Amino acid sequence: GELMSAAPTSAAEEVIVHLLKTSEAVSDFIKEGENHRLVPDQIPAGWKGNPGIVYEQQGDNRQRLVDGTETGLIHATFSIYCITRNRGVSRAMTQAVRPALAVNGSATIAGVRVRQVFVKNGERDESLPSADGNEPPERYRAIDVVVHYRT
């Protein structure tokens, strides 16, 4: 259906999705029945202004030593968009998302060996056109996150 979460395509994405889905504070905003309004890349048409989260992987860098040897550590950068038509709600969502995503110290999350998940300071307050061009634009607040993990 419209609300189904897409299957993650990268190990870092698995980590982001797992942390958001297992946070009660985040799920309070985005869970509907057994599904979460949590998808990659763009807002689906079915949300109709209900709060949801879109995540977008901006890139991943394999860490290398000076001589070019790979350390096995990857840094994957994401933007997390907390989407709703109500600015106060999107601010409350970001306040739930920040602690849900912050992982200090090594942990295995969704089968991925995570060194750290770093949530950057600051947020961007922007608007995105809705999937259905006749609807009002969606407001969102964006947070940037870096997942440090091992292959």
Side-chain angles (χ1 to χ4, degrees), residues 43-105:
I43 307 173
W47 286 4
K48 303 285 181 222
N50 289 308
I53 293 174
V54 172
Y55 57 90
E56 185 176 26
Q57 187 163 349
Q58 306 291 0
D60 54 23
N61 299 320
R62 292 177 180 277
Q63 193 180 58
R64 294 172 195 279
L65 301 175
V66 179
D67 66 5
T69 314
E70 288 194 10
T71 63
L73 200 61
I74 299 176
H75 306 257
T77 307
F78 289 82
S79 290
I80 311 293
Y81 303 102
C82 295
I83 295 163
T84 165
R85 294 188 185 139
N86 179 309
R87 190 173 283 179
V89 174
S90 61
R91 190 167 290 129
M93 285 172 75
T94 59
Q95 286 167 357
V97 165
R98 282 182 173 283
L101 289 178
V103 177
N104 300 310

Side-chain angles (χ1 to χ4, degrees), residues 114-134:
V114 174
R115 172 72 64 80
Q116 181 194 37
V117 181
F118 177 70
V119 182
K120 295 187 179 179
N121 289 326
E123 295 169 13
R124 305 189 301 284
D125 194 0
E126 302 177 32
S127 63
L128 276 178
S130 61
D132 170 358
N134 302 320

Side-chain angles (χ1 to χ4, degrees), residues 11-29:
E13 206 175 308
E14 297 269 5
V15 171
I16 294 284
V17 167
H18 177 84
L19 291 171
L20 292 174
K21 282 186 173 180
T22 54
S23 160
E24 280 188 32
V26 174
S27 290
D28 282 347
F29 289 104

